[in-house]
Amino acid sequence: MKKDIHNREDIMLLVDSFYKNVALNQQIGPIFTDVAKVDWSHHLPKMYDFWESILFGKAIYKGNPMLSHFALNEQIPLQTEAFEAWKKLFFQTVDDFFVGPNADLIKQKAQSIADLMHFKINLPQSKIKIV
Ligand code: HEM
């Protein structure tokens, strides 16, 4: 039976599974593997910290995701389709393993961060960077 997301071990399962799905995804996988050439041993622990901070209010993630994604957007435009694919995969991965209030909350947080990120990156006619 599925359970809710309770601790860092649960976050690790979610993050590891999500990025396995991401790497295999035809639409956004190449952005990670070919464009950014992500070092997973570096990226995954950072993402455990990020989601633990978001979901459990622990201030362990130090960083500014907007800066990384602005830089990435210079290499390859991050458009609506990429964000839609990212969200779909994230929601599916959450639903594959978890059910409950925290599973709902992490999807809501992912949705709002993704939508804000998409908005900031694609501000019309603007070179202004809102971090
Ligand atoms: C089109 C959708 C997205 C793509 C293609 C994408 C891709 C990437 C890539 C390639 C990196 C750099 C990995 C590395 O080289 O270490 C990264 C970092 C990161 N991403 Fe995304 N991302 C997307 C959406 C999101 C969303 C919606 C979130 C949050 C909900 C997010 C959170 C992060 C965080 C926290 C980092 C680490 C930033 C840092 O501190 O260096 N990403 N992303």
Side-chain angles (χ1 to χ4, degrees):
M1 205 178 79
K2 289 180 198 171
K3 62 184 195 74
D4 203 359
I5 304 170
H6 293 299
N7 51 40
R8 186 170 178 93
E9 283 66 42
D10 295 335
I11 299 263
M12 288 168 72
L13 172 64
L14 171 63
V15 167
D16 290 350
S17 307
F18 173 61
Y19 285 104
K20 270 182 202 149
N21 292 337
V22 163
L24 293 172
N25 184 269
Q26 288 187 348
Q27 215 175 339
I28 57 171
I31 303 177
F32 287 80
T33 54
D34 301 347
V35 179
K37 296 187 170 54
V38 171
D39 174 353
W40 297 108
S41 65
H42 183 70
H43 183 58
L44 296 175
K46 203 187 281 187
M47 298 312 296
Y48 307 150
D49 289 350
F50 177 75
W51 284 115
E52 235 195 319
S53 300
I54 297 283
L55 195 60
F56 302 130
K58 294 187 184 170
I60 46 178
Y61 169 75
K62 306 277 179 235
N64 185 331
M66 280 319 303
L67 295 178
S68 316
H69 296 83
F70 279 136
L72 184 60
N73 186 56
E74 300 286 324
Q75 291 182 272
I76 182 165
L78 299 179
Q79 291 171 335
T80 306
E81 299 71 33
F83 280 98
E84 290 305 315
W86 188 103
K87 284 191 283 185
K88 191 173 168 203
L89 274 183
F90 192 86
F91 297 165
Q92 275 174 355
T93 314
V94 173
D95 292 341
D96 281 345
F97 293 98
F98 300 104
V99 67
N102 282 342
D104 291 341
L105 184 61
I106 205 168
K107 287 187 282 184
Q108 281 168 28
K109 297 279 186 186
Q111 165 107 36
S112 53
I113 297 168
D115 290 349
L116 188 61
M117 194 180 270
H118 173 258
F119 172 75
K120 287 178 173 181
I121 283 177
N122 292 285
L123 274 181
Q125 309 296 323
S126 172
K127 296 285 177 205
I128 299 168
K129 305 254 186 285
I130 304 171
V131 296

